Amino acid sequence: MMTEEYLHALLLNMTIEEKIGQLTQYNANVFLDSSADITGPRMQLGLTDEDLSRVGSVLNFSSVAEMKKMQDMHMENDPHRIPVVFMMDVIHGYRTIYPIPLALGCSFDAELAETCSRMAGKEAAASGVQVTFAPMVDYVRDPRWGRVMETCGEEPRLTGALAAAQIRGFQGSDLTYAENVAACVKHFAGYGGAEAGRDYNAVECSERALREFYLPAYKACIDAGAQMLMPSFNSLNGIPSVANPWLMKQVLKEEWDFDGVVISDYNAVGELLVHGVAADEKEAAKLAFDNGCDIEMCSSAYIHHLKELLEEGFFTQEQLDQAVMRVLRFKNRLGLFEDPYHGADQEKADCLYLCEKHREIAKRAAAESAVLLKNDGILPLQENLARVAVIGPFAREHGILGSWSCNGRDEETVTVADGMAALLKTGQVIVAEGCSNHWDDTDTSGFEEAIAAAKSSDAVILCLGEPQDYSGEGNCRTDIRLPGMQMELARRVIAANPKTVAVLFNGRPLDLSELDAVAPAILEMWFPGTEGGNAAAELIFGRANPCGKLAMTFPRSVGQCPIYYNHPNTGRPHWTRAAEHCGYTSDYIDCATLPLYSFGHGLSYANFVYVGMTLSDHQLSAEGSIRVSVRVRNESPVGGKETVQLYMRDPVASVVRPVQQLIGFRKVAFAPWEEKEIEFTLTEPMLRFWNFDMKHVSEPGEIQLMIGCADHFVLTDEIIMK
Ligand code: GLC
């Protein structure tokens, strides 16, 4: 890497225009667009050839050759030979695609998350990517929001642990190594709280809720060494994040001392005019730069106005130099001054894509992220069944990679039908789609074939869900039930053959109330990625034992949303619907209050019995610790993994506390009939919260400890925090 002195010398020799160029990023097509094209993106952005010659980073490109061509072009023209840095959204895979992050959250497996990101980073780096805009760690409570698929769910500690693991996976130990990419944590902050679950919508959130729920996962990523951070599109309490002094100055810089690079989201600086906090591009540039946004992505406020703002004294030369130095150091940490290609090698990339090792990891991740929601005993199926019908719109569906699947190709995905055929003997599998998965499709002409297939088979794998483009950015739903005629198909197929397993492909928690009422078994596969069909087959036939636990609550109805496990008690919780309140409780008159499936829920083919919990002490001091030992026995002839979850409740505090909060989890493998002792170490910092005075402290008093999953605890005890 170059020395700090070298970077400072570069800075001294740069013109203001060259410095501002380092603070801009555009899509590759802007560079490759011919300047003669008066309708092209370059003209729309108001960029001259000279502007483009100075741009410091590029978003998205299609090949190593294209990346090298742009780098070469730039380096030849740049007198300081400052390399361009190339960035892309490698969220859950580059070409081999792993389960969507919400699925990975259900694995409760940080090591697995790290491995998936490591493999994704290797494919990306070989392909010319130097920075990925991941992990996304937005805290979510509302499945109407399409981007819930992109985060690890509604539990800040779980999301923080898995996202920190992803950062370790992407960044490795040394960013100059060719197989590592820099990670950019996003979207800071509160984006998942978009009102009504509508993307880009306003977020109103108290400081206490922000600090308690929304901010911890970002901090975990910064502590894990994230090199970059992206503010979110939304306004937070009336001020768009990219121009929000409380977020960007007080929290990020003063409290957290973040010294990485801040990059705006796509045109988010330009959107300050649309939000209505900037009258023109110049004001937008001033707001964003003044609040610490170093690089402007895909809008032109900086390139058009930063020089003018400097000359007019709105900010100092030093502020400009500090921002540019952050970018130069960032590129230096990637080793780009020595190797502007960062080891990109198309031949190496081609060998990595879909290689056996990556496929194996993708299949394992898909299996460990799946959640067995219901099983009346029909699963696992026996492999010696004479005939198996694979029915439903997802029977042959290749579109199970999920949103943000980068360069993954649907046609390279293993479908459920493929997976079944690969696992079973030939001639055993018949396939009938029955209907589509589109919300406005009422065609039932495929029912007859599907019902006949069900009737003539020993068992049915009923593959249902929502199209992968019904979730992801900009794809929000007001109706989170199974789209189209799928429930009608399900009822008819299950009536024709009760030995039916429903297998789900979706990017958000769905309202499965109707399916839960008729299906004897429900396996949630989410969007499992390239190896989805093989993982589903292995789970259904018991070659793999489901071990996922829900990282996000499944409501009974969209009318319950937002719904989440770490909720307050209220003064009239639903269970007080008794004489004293004569029905005046925090309850619906037309729907049960508890969710259909709670956070942390997930079944296994094994039978895990929670034998007991013992504490080394029942008093906890500020410097002390308590050993919490949980005895679990696998009372079954099948091995499997169980995620033991430790929750707490602080029944009396200076502010209202959640009725339950996850404070620890251990994913443990059990052999058949094996009994194990699982230990947690409880310390005072684990009990801290933002109290009445907005101090992050623990308070003396009783703390309840619970083992099990949200709303369904099997062991409890309590301690006294001294
Ligand atoms: C998008 C997304 C962001 C992504 C960026 C670059 O609009 O909000 O997550 O990293 O643009 O593609």
Side-chain angles (χ1 to χ4, degrees):
M1 285 205 294
M2 311 313 265
T3 62
E4 188 74 357
E5 291 69 28
Y6 175 87
L7 300 180
H8 276 293
L10 272 183
L11 192 69
L12 281 175
N13 291 322
M14 291 167 75
T15 65
I16 289 186
E17 290 81 0
E18 288 166 336
K19 291 177 181 178
I20 292 168
Q22 289 299 313
L23 308 183
T24 60
Q25 175 178 95
Y26 294 100
N27 261 311
N29 68 338
V30 174
F31 293 91
L32 301 172
D33 168 45
S34 71
S35 53
D37 179 352
I38 56 172
T39 58
R42 184 183 294 204
M43 301 307 276
Q44 281 162 11
L45 285 160
L47 298 172
T48 64
D49 287 354
E50 205 178 8
D51 291 334
L52 282 175
S53 70
R54 302 188 189 108
V55 170
S57 66
V58 171
L59 165 65
N60 296 336
F61 54 92
S62 62
S63 68
V64 170
E66 188 180 273
M67 173 267 202
K68 288 184 175 178
K69 177 184 167 190
M70 283 190 282
Q71 189 69 287
D72 292 347
M73 248 165 44
H74 177 84
M75 297 291 274
E76 277 151 29
N77 295 325
D78 179 355
H80 311 292
R81 297 189 59 75
I82 299 171
V84 169
V85 58
F86 292 86
M87 308 189 191
M88 197 178 286
D89 295 280
V90 183
I91 310 295
H92 54 110
Y94 179 84
R95 177 76 173 272
T96 312
I97 304 302
Y98 303 91
I100 55 172
L102 184 57
L104 210 52
C106 298
S107 74
F108 277 69
D109 193 332
E111 194 181 322
L112 179 63
E114 182 171 343
T115 301
C116 291
S117 295
R118 179 123 209 78
M119 299 304 115
K122 284 177 82 170
E123 286 190 16
S127 308
V129 178
Q130 297 159 356
V131 183
T132 177
F133 295 122
M136 186 274 223
V137 294
D138 298 326
Y139 175 72
V140 291
R141 293 174 162 175
D142 195 328
R144 291 173 293 181
W145 192 49
R147 300 195 78 165
V148 297
M149 52 68 58
E150 211 175 326
T151 177
C152 289
E154 70 188 49
E155 172 30 59
R157 290 170 187 78
L158 174 65
T159 299
L162 267 60
Q166 289 177 58
I167 288 171
R168 292 192 294 272
F170 282 127
Q171 298 192 155
S173 57
D174 182 337
L175 277 176
T176 61
Y177 291 171
E179 69 267 17
N180 296 334
V181 296
C184 171
V185 59
K186 68 186 185 183
H187 308 83
F188 190 64
Y191 189 19
E195 208 160 80
R198 184 154 53 87
D199 209 347
Y200 317 114
N201 201 4
V203 177
E204 292 294 332
C205 189
S206 71
E207 181 179 345
R208 174 171 287 107
L210 281 166
R211 291 185 181 279
E212 197 71 56
F213 301 108
Y214 286 86
L215 297 182
Y218 302 106
K219 180 67 166 58
C221 290
I222 288 170
D223 292 346
Q227 295 293 308
M228 183 176 269
L229 175 138
M230 182 188 291
S232 53
F233 283 122
N234 58 283
S235 62
L236 177 63
N237 299 328
I239 305 171
S241 297
V242 74
N244 190 312
W246 183 80
L247 264 186
M248 303 306 292
K249 290 183 177 176
Q250 182 180 326
V251 175
L252 186 63
K253 300 284 183 161
E254 291 159 28
E255 293 180 23
W256 294 358
D257 196 23
F258 179 66
D259 66 351
V261 171
V262 174
I263 186 168
S264 80
D265 204 336
Y266 197 105
N267 188 36
V269 176
E271 285 172 15
L272 292 176
L273 282 72
V274 187
H275 276 290
V277 294
D280 53 34
E281 228 188 18
K282 179 176 177 181
E283 200 172 339
K286 178 177 167 299
L287 280 172
F289 188 76
D290 188 40
N291 282 287
C293 177
D294 296 316
I295 297 178
E296 177 185 14
M297 182 195 292
C298 298
S299 50
S300 313
Y302 281 15
I303 230 164
H304 288 160
H305 301 287
L306 273 193
K307 181 179 179 187
E308 195 184 335
L309 287 163
L310 178 73
E311 286 160 354
E312 291 169 9
F314 282 105
F315 58 84
T316 64
Q317 183 66 49
E318 189 194 358
Q319 280 175 291
L320 178 63
D321 289 352
Q322 285 169 350
V324 177
M325 275 304 282
R326 282 191 286 271
V327 175
L328 295 180
R329 289 189 189 110
F330 178 80
K331 293 182 175 182
N332 195 30
R333 281 195 285 269
L334 277 160
L336 297 184
F337 287 95
E338 290 85 351
D339 175 9
Y341 299 159
H342 194 58
D345 177 330
Q346 193 64 60
E347 207 174 306
K348 176 183 171 187
D350 291 341
C351 293
L352 287 170
Y353 300 155
L354 304 169
C355 65
E356 199 43 49
K357 176 181 178 183
H358 291 189
R359 278 188 175 278
E360 195 47 45
I361 289 164
K363 184 174 73 173
R364 177 162 65 89
E368 304 248 336
S369 303
V371 183
L372 183 57
L373 296 174
K374 180 179 180 184
N375 184 17
D376 285 354
I378 72 166
L379 280 178
L381 297 181
Q382 301 306 311
E383 290 190 27
N384 61 2
L385 292 172
R387 270 166 77 84
V388 174
V390 183
I391 294 173
F394 279 89
R396 290 195 187 95
E397 176 58 64
H398 282 273
I400 55 174
L401 296 179
S403 187
W404 292 111
S405 54
C406 200
N407 285 342
R409 297 175 187 173
D410 286 358
E411 64 272 19
E412 293 172 343
T413 303
V414 179
T415 67
V416 177
D418 297 340
M420 295 297 158
L423 187 143
L424 299 173
K425 303 286 178 291
T426 49
Q428 273 183 293
V429 179
I430 51 173
V431 182
E433 268 137 11
C435 67
S436 88
N437 55 17
H438 287 266
W439 64 276
D440 55 354
D441 188 341
T442 58
D443 178 8
T444 59
S445 59
F447 275 28
E448 191 178 337
E449 178 199 16
I451 291 160
K455 280 180 178 165
S456 66
S457 301
D458 302 305
V460 177
I461 317 295
L462 182 58
C463 304
L464 309 169
E466 59 174 7
Q468 60 185 352
D469 61 2
Y470 280 27
S471 58
E473 183 175 356
N475 297 325
C476 303
R477 296 179 66 194
T478 59
D479 179 347
I480 56 172
R481 290 175 297 175
L482 288 166
M485 300 306 289
Q486 295 183 79
M487 258 322 295
E488 191 46 42
L489 175 70
R491 275 188 277 272
R492 303 280 296 275
V493 164
I494 293 167
N497 187 337
K499 195 165 185 177
T500 291
V501 178
V503 183
L504 292 175
F505 297 88
N506 41 292
R508 57 162 57 80
L510 296 176
D511 167 359
L512 300 177
S513 302
E514 291 178 284
L515 185 64
D516 182 72
V518 296
I522 302 175
L523 178 65
E524 175 59 75
M525 291 301 295
W526 302 107
F527 285 118
T530 303
E531 283 287 326
N534 284 331
E538 294 194 359
L539 289 164
I540 288 163
F541 287 94
R543 291 194 186 179
N545 185 357
C547 61
K549 304 286 185 184
L550 287 181
M552 192 171 176
T553 299
F554 273 58
R556 295 175 188 280
S557 157
V558 72
Q560 289 180 297
C561 296
I563 184 170
Y564 47 96
Y565 91 99
N566 45 3
H567 59 81
N569 201 25
T570 78
R572 295 194 177 185
H574 66 94
W575 43 260
T576 59
R577 178 178 283 273
E580 75 256 33
H581 291 310
C582 309
Y584 293 101
T585 64
S586 177
D587 215 345
Y588 299 105
I589 59 171
D590 58 355
C591 177
T593 304
L594 287 178
L596 183 63
Y597 305 119
S598 296
F599 173 85
H601 168 71
L603 304 176
S604 169
Y605 297 148
N607 174 25
F608 294 111
V609 174
Y610 284 71
V611 178
M613 168 164 60
T614 53
L615 305 182
S616 60
D617 198 337
H618 283 78
Q619 302 245 333
L620 179 63
S621 64
E623 305 72 34
S625 67
I626 292 177
R627 201 174 52 256
V628 180
S629 302
V630 183
R631 228 167 158 67
V632 180
R633 182 166 55 242
N634 174 8
E635 281 187 359
S636 78
V638 293
K641 293 177 184 173
E642 173 69 346
T643 295
V644 180
Q645 303 162 52
L646 173 63
Y647 294 76
M648 66 158 278
R649 181 180 184 177
D650 184 351
V652 179
S654 58
V655 294
V656 170
R657 305 297 316 287
V659 296
Q660 54 206 345
Q661 276 184 284
L662 185 75
I663 53 172
F665 57 91
R666 295 278 187 284
K667 187 172 186 177
V668 182
F670 288 81
W673 310 111
E674 186 175 18
E675 181 167 318
K676 280 189 172 177
E677 188 99 11
I678 290 93
E679 288 201 355
F680 299 89
T681 300
L682 185 63
T683 57
E684 181 270 335
M686 293 162 69
L687 306 181
R688 291 179 188 167
F689 64 100
W690 295 89
N691 75 352
F692 182 84
D693 300 315
M694 283 305 287
K695 300 283 182 254
H696 196 228
V697 296
S698 62
E699 291 179 347
E702 177 192 331
I703 297 290
Q704 296 163 4
L705 300 177
M706 304 91 85
I707 294 288
C709 75
D711 307 323
H712 306 284
F713 297 117
V714 291
L715 299 171
T716 59
D717 204 332
E718 66 266 341
I719 64 166
I720 298 297
M721 181 68 222
K722 286 194 290 189

mmCIF file of all heavy atoms in Angstrom, residues 126-154:
data_model
loop_
_atom_site.group_PDB
_atom_site.id
_atom_site.type_symbol
_atom_site.label_atom_id
_atom_site.label_comp_id
_atom_site.label_asym_id
_atom_site.label_seq_id
_atom_site.Cartn_x
_atom_site.Cartn_y
_atom_site.Cartn_z
ATOM 1 N N ALA A 126 -12.914 -11.690 -8.551
ATOM 2 C CA ALA A 126 -12.315 -12.211 -9.789
ATOM 3 C C ALA A 126 -12.980 -11.573 -11.014
ATOM 4 O O ALA A 126 -12.373 -11.431 -12.076
ATOM 5 C CB ALA A 126 -12.459 -13.726 -9.844
ATOM 6 N N SER A 127 -14.235 -11.147 -10.827
ATOM 7 C CA SER A 127 -15.012 -10.563 -11.932
ATOM 8 C C SER A 127 -14.820 -9.053 -12.037
ATOM 9 O O SER A 127 -15.470 -8.396 -12.853
ATOM 10 C CB SER A 127 -16.497 -10.874 -11.735
ATOM 11 O OG SER A 127 -16.667 -12.258 -11.523
ATOM 12 N N GLY A 128 -13.956 -8.486 -11.187
ATOM 13 C CA GLY A 128 -13.656 -7.058 -11.304
ATOM 14 C C GLY A 128 -14.319 -6.178 -10.275
ATOM 15 O O GLY A 128 -14.070 -4.978 -10.225
ATOM 16 N N VAL A 129 -15.153 -6.763 -9.406
ATOM 17 C CA VAL A 129 -15.816 -5.965 -8.371
ATOM 18 C C VAL A 129 -14.822 -5.721 -7.236
ATOM 19 O O VAL A 129 -14.118 -6.627 -6.811
ATOM 20 C CB VAL A 129 -17.060 -6.695 -7.815
ATOM 21 C CG1 VAL A 129 -17.732 -5.884 -6.709
ATOM 22 C CG2 VAL A 129 -18.050 -6.991 -8.939
ATOM 23 N N GLN A 130 -14.742 -4.479 -6.764
ATOM 24 C CA GLN A 130 -13.808 -4.156 -5.674
ATOM 25 C C GLN A 130 -14.537 -3.770 -4.390
ATOM 26 O O GLN A 130 -13.968 -3.843 -3.297
ATOM 27 C CB GLN A 130 -12.886 -3.019 -6.142
ATOM 28 C CG GLN A 130 -12.033 -3.437 -7.325
ATOM 29 C CD GLN A 130 -11.509 -2.267 -8.133
ATOM 30 O OE1 GLN A 130 -11.830 -1.114 -7.864
ATOM 31 N NE2 GLN A 130 -10.698 -2.555 -9.159
ATOM 32 N N VAL A 131 -15.823 -3.364 -4.558
ATOM 33 C CA VAL A 131 -16.642 -2.972 -3.401
ATOM 34 C C VAL A 131 -18.050 -3.531 -3.612
ATOM 35 O O VAL A 131 -18.597 -3.417 -4.718
ATOM 36 C CB VAL A 131 -16.741 -1.435 -3.268
ATOM 37 C CG1 VAL A 131 -17.521 -1.051 -2.020
ATOM 38 C CG2 VAL A 131 -15.364 -0.796 -3.266
ATOM 39 N N THR A 132 -18.625 -4.106 -2.555
ATOM 40 C CA THR A 132 -20.016 -4.529 -2.669
ATOM 41 C C THR A 132 -20.885 -3.681 -1.756
ATOM 42 O O THR A 132 -20.474 -3.315 -0.647
ATOM 43 C CB THR A 132 -20.212 -6.012 -2.307
ATOM 44 O OG1 THR A 132 -21.627 -6.308 -2.395
ATOM 45 C CG2 THR A 132 -19.749 -6.338 -0.892
ATOM 46 N N PHE A 133 -22.068 -3.351 -2.226
ATOM 47 C CA PHE A 133 -23.010 -2.584 -1.404
ATOM 48 C C PHE A 133 -23.804 -3.556 -0.533
ATOM 49 O O PHE A 133 -24.982 -3.771 -0.697
ATOM 50 C CB PHE A 133 -23.959 -1.783 -2.302
ATOM 51 C CG PHE A 133 -23.271 -0.733 -3.109
ATOM 52 C CD1 PHE A 133 -23.360 -0.740 -4.499
ATOM 53 C CD2 PHE A 133 -22.514 0.247 -2.503
ATOM 54 C CE1 PHE A 133 -22.728 0.242 -5.258
ATOM 55 C CE2 PHE A 133 -21.872 1.236 -3.252
ATOM 56 C CZ PHE A 133 -21.982 1.216 -4.628
ATOM 57 N N ALA A 134 -23.075 -4.156 0.381
ATOM 58 C CA ALA A 134 -23.668 -5.143 1.309
ATOM 59 C C ALA A 134 -22.779 -5.180 2.539
ATOM 60 O O ALA A 134 -21.613 -4.805 2.443
ATOM 61 C CB ALA A 134 -23.701 -6.528 0.653
ATOM 62 N N PRO A 135 -23.300 -5.594 3.698
ATOM 63 C CA PRO A 135 -24.659 -6.109 3.950
ATOM 64 C C PRO A 135 -25.669 -4.989 4.176
ATOM 65 O O PRO A 135 -25.334 -3.917 4.665
ATOM 66 C CB PRO A 135 -24.490 -6.929 5.223
ATOM 67 C CG PRO A 135 -23.368 -6.245 5.949
ATOM 68 C CD PRO A 135 -22.444 -5.703 4.902
ATOM 69 N N MET A 136 -26.918 -5.288 3.831
ATOM 70 C CA MET A 136 -28.043 -4.418 4.158
ATOM 71 C C MET A 136 -28.581 -4.885 5.504
ATOM 72 O O MET A 136 -28.911 -6.043 5.675
ATOM 73 C CB MET A 136 -29.097 -4.550 3.062
ATOM 74 C CG MET A 136 -30.269 -3.621 3.172
ATOM 75 S SD MET A 136 -31.591 -4.259 4.230
ATOM 76 C CE MET A 136 -33.022 -3.845 3.244
ATOM 77 N N VAL A 137 -28.680 -3.978 6.471
ATOM 78 C CA VAL A 137 -29.028 -4.393 7.834
ATOM 79 C C VAL A 137 -30.221 -3.608 8.376
ATOM 80 O O VAL A 137 -30.357 -3.419 9.582
ATOM 81 C CB VAL A 137 -27.829 -4.236 8.786
ATOM 82 C CG1 VAL A 137 -26.715 -5.193 8.420
ATOM 83 C CG2 VAL A 137 -27.343 -2.793 8.800
ATOM 84 N N ASP A 138 -31.084 -3.180 7.466
ATOM 85 C CA ASP A 138 -32.228 -2.388 7.927
ATOM 86 C C ASP A 138 -33.143 -3.204 8.830
ATOM 87 O O ASP A 138 -33.522 -4.318 8.483
ATOM 88 C CB ASP A 138 -33.004 -1.861 6.719
ATOM 89 C CG ASP A 138 -32.137 -0.939 5.877
ATOM 90 O OD1 ASP A 138 -31.301 -0.219 6.461
ATOM 91 O OD2 ASP A 138 -32.240 -0.988 4.652
ATOM 92 N N TYR A 139 -33.498 -2.638 9.966
ATOM 93 C CA TYR A 139 -34.379 -3.303 10.928
ATOM 94 C C TYR A 139 -35.792 -3.269 10.371
ATOM 95 O O TYR A 139 -36.240 -2.223 9.886
ATOM 96 C CB TYR A 139 -34.306 -2.559 12.262
ATOM 97 C CG TYR A 139 -35.242 -3.058 13.320
ATOM 98 C CD1 TYR A 139 -35.020 -4.291 13.947
ATOM 99 C CD2 TYR A 139 -36.368 -2.327 13.693
ATOM 100 C CE1 TYR A 139 -35.887 -4.764 14.913
ATOM 101 C CE2 TYR A 139 -37.238 -2.799 14.658
ATOM 102 C CZ TYR A 139 -36.992 -4.021 15.268
ATOM 103 O OH TYR A 139 -37.844 -4.485 16.217
ATOM 104 N N VAL A 140 -36.491 -4.413 10.397
ATOM 105 C CA VAL A 140 -37.807 -4.486 9.747
ATOM 106 C C VAL A 140 -38.871 -5.049 10.679
ATOM 107 O O VAL A 140 -38.586 -5.861 11.549
ATOM 108 C CB VAL A 140 -37.726 -5.369 8.477
ATOM 109 C CG1 VAL A 140 -36.908 -4.692 7.394
ATOM 110 C CG2 VAL A 140 -37.189 -6.751 8.794
ATOM 111 N N ARG A 141 -40.095 -4.550 10.458
ATOM 112 C CA ARG A 141 -41.248 -5.025 11.241
ATOM 113 C C ARG A 141 -42.479 -5.209 10.348
ATOM 114 O O ARG A 141 -43.531 -5.593 10.823
ATOM 115 C CB ARG A 141 -41.625 -3.988 12.298
ATOM 116 C CG ARG A 141 -40.607 -3.795 13.387
ATOM 117 C CD ARG A 141 -40.990 -2.644 14.309
ATOM 118 N NE ARG A 141 -40.259 -2.709 15.586
ATOM 119 C CZ ARG A 141 -40.333 -1.785 16.531
ATOM 120 N NH1 ARG A 141 -41.111 -0.720 16.352
ATOM 121 N NH2 ARG A 141 -39.656 -1.901 17.650
ATOM 122 N N ASP A 142 -42.317 -4.910 9.041
ATOM 123 C CA ASP A 142 -43.505 -4.845 8.191
ATOM 124 C C ASP A 142 -43.287 -5.593 6.882
ATOM 125 O O ASP A 142 -42.572 -5.111 6.002
ATOM 126 C CB ASP A 142 -43.823 -3.365 7.887
ATOM 127 C CG ASP A 142 -45.219 -3.209 7.326
ATOM 128 O OD1 ASP A 142 -45.672 -4.142 6.627
ATOM 129 O OD2 ASP A 142 -45.856 -2.181 7.578
ATOM 130 N N PRO A 143 -43.875 -6.784 6.742
ATOM 131 C CA PRO A 143 -43.659 -7.604 5.539
ATOM 132 C C PRO A 143 -44.268 -7.027 4.271
ATOM 133 O O PRO A 143 -44.030 -7.541 3.186
ATOM 134 C CB PRO A 143 -44.330 -8.934 5.898
ATOM 135 C CG PRO A 143 -45.295 -8.626 6.974
ATOM 136 C CD PRO A 143 -44.750 -7.462 7.709
ATOM 137 N N ARG A 144 -45.010 -5.931 4.391
ATOM 138 C CA ARG A 144 -45.502 -5.309 3.149
ATOM 139 C C ARG A 144 -44.316 -4.715 2.385
ATOM 140 O O ARG A 144 -44.330 -4.613 1.161
ATOM 141 C CB ARG A 144 -46.512 -4.204 3.465
ATOM 142 C CG ARG A 144 -47.827 -4.726 4.019
ATOM 143 C CD ARG A 144 -48.715 -3.599 4.463
ATOM 144 N NE ARG A 144 -48.158 -2.885 5.618
ATOM 145 C CZ ARG A 144 -48.772 -1.860 6.209
ATOM 146 N NH1 ARG A 144 -49.922 -1.403 5.751
ATOM 147 N NH2 ARG A 144 -48.216 -1.264 7.260
ATOM 148 N N TRP A 145 -43.262 -4.320 3.096
ATOM 149 C CA TRP A 145 -42.088 -3.675 2.496
ATOM 150 C C TRP A 145 -41.305 -4.700 1.688
ATOM 151 O O TRP A 145 -40.944 -5.768 2.201
ATOM 152 C CB TRP A 145 -41.220 -3.077 3.591
ATOM 153 C CG TRP A 145 -40.142 -2.158 3.105
ATOM 154 C CD1 TRP A 145 -40.285 -1.128 2.226
ATOM 155 C CD2 TRP A 145 -38.765 -2.175 3.484
ATOM 156 N NE1 TRP A 145 -39.085 -0.492 2.037
ATOM 157 C CE2 TRP A 145 -38.125 -1.110 2.792
ATOM 158 C CE3 TRP A 145 -37.992 -2.945 4.341
ATOM 159 C CZ2 TRP A 145 -36.762 -0.827 2.936
ATOM 160 C CZ3 TRP A 145 -36.640 -2.669 4.494
ATOM 161 C CH2 TRP A 145 -36.038 -1.623 3.786
ATOM 162 N N GLY A 146 -41.032 -4.401 0.441
ATOM 163 C CA GLY A 146 -40.408 -5.379 -0.450
ATOM 164 C C GLY A 146 -38.975 -5.712 -0.078
ATOM 165 O O GLY A 146 -38.471 -6.789 -0.384
ATOM 166 N N ARG A 147 -38.295 -4.810 0.648
ATOM 167 C CA ARG A 147 -36.873 -5.036 0.896
ATOM 168 C C ARG A 147 -36.600 -5.829 2.172
ATOM 169 O O ARG A 147 -35.443 -6.004 2.547
ATOM 170 C CB ARG A 147 -36.130 -3.702 0.916
ATOM 171 C CG ARG A 147 -36.256 -2.953 -0.398
ATOM 172 C CD ARG A 147 -35.277 -1.820 -0.554
ATOM 173 N NE ARG A 147 -33.952 -2.287 -0.919
ATOM 174 C CZ ARG A 147 -33.004 -1.467 -1.397
ATOM 175 N NH1 ARG A 147 -33.236 -0.169 -1.515
ATOM 176 N NH2 ARG A 147 -31.814 -1.938 -1.725
ATOM 177 N N VAL A 148 -37.658 -6.368 2.813
ATOM 178 C CA VAL A 148 -37.405 -7.250 3.971
ATOM 179 C C VAL A 148 -36.572 -8.451 3.527
ATOM 180 O O VAL A 148 -35.833 -9.027 4.315
ATOM 181 C CB VAL A 148 -38.698 -7.722 4.654
ATOM 182 C CG1 VAL A 148 -39.492 -6.576 5.246
ATOM 183 C CG2 VAL A 148 -39.574 -8.510 3.697
ATOM 184 N N MET A 149 -36.634 -8.793 2.234
ATOM 185 C CA MET A 149 -35.868 -9.953 1.737
ATOM 186 C C MET A 149 -34.355 -9.716 1.855
ATOM 187 O O MET A 149 -33.563 -10.642 1.852
ATOM 188 C CB MET A 149 -36.223 -10.289 0.289
ATOM 189 C CG MET A 149 -36.184 -9.207 -0.754
ATOM 190 S SD MET A 149 -34.550 -8.539 -1.192
ATOM 191 C CE MET A 149 -33.690 -9.990 -1.725
ATOM 192 N N GLU A 150 -33.960 -8.472 1.967
ATOM 193 C CA GLU A 150 -32.557 -8.094 1.829
ATOM 194 C C GLU A 150 -31.825 -8.011 3.166
ATOM 195 O O GLU A 150 -30.612 -7.842 3.206
ATOM 196 C CB GLU A 150 -32.531 -6.722 1.149
ATOM 197 C CG GLU A 150 -31.386 -6.408 0.291
ATOM 198 C CD GLU A 150 -31.597 -5.057 -0.402
ATOM 199 O OE1 GLU A 150 -32.744 -4.692 -0.731
ATOM 200 O OE2 GLU A 150 -30.598 -4.367 -0.588
ATOM 201 N N THR A 151 -32.602 -8.113 4.264
ATOM 202 C CA THR A 151 -32.003 -7.987 5.587
ATOM 203 C C THR A 151 -32.162 -9.306 6.337
ATOM 204 O O THR A 151 -32.838 -10.193 5.859
ATOM 205 C CB THR A 151 -32.675 -6.854 6.376
ATOM 206 O OG1 THR A 151 -32.111 -6.794 7.688
ATOM 207 C CG2 THR A 151 -34.166 -7.102 6.531
ATOM 208 N N CYS A 152 -31.527 -9.422 7.505
ATOM 209 C CA CYS A 152 -31.616 -10.692 8.245
ATOM 210 C C CYS A 152 -32.717 -10.671 9.287
ATOM 211 O O CYS A 152 -32.710 -11.503 10.201
ATOM 212 C CB CYS A 152 -30.276 -11.020 8.885
ATOM 213 S SG CYS A 152 -29.028 -11.508 7.691
ATOM 214 N N GLY A 153 -33.651 -9.734 9.180
ATOM 215 C CA GLY A 153 -34.868 -9.852 9.966
ATOM 216 C C GLY A 153 -35.095 -8.815 11.047
ATOM 217 O O GLY A 153 -34.523 -7.736 11.017
ATOM 218 N N GLU A 154 -35.941 -9.197 12.034
ATOM 219 C CA GLU A 154 -36.470 -8.222 13.002
ATOM 220 C C GLU A 154 -35.746 -8.228 14.337
ATOM 221 O O GLU A 154 -36.236 -7.632 15.298
ATOM 222 C CB GLU A 154 -37.952 -8.500 13.246
ATOM 223 C CG GLU A 154 -38.243 -9.753 14.013
ATOM 224 C CD GLU A 154 -39.734 -10.080 14.068
ATOM 225 O OE1 GLU A 154 -40.390 -10.058 13.013
ATOM 226 O OE2 GLU A 154 -40.238 -10.363 15.177
#
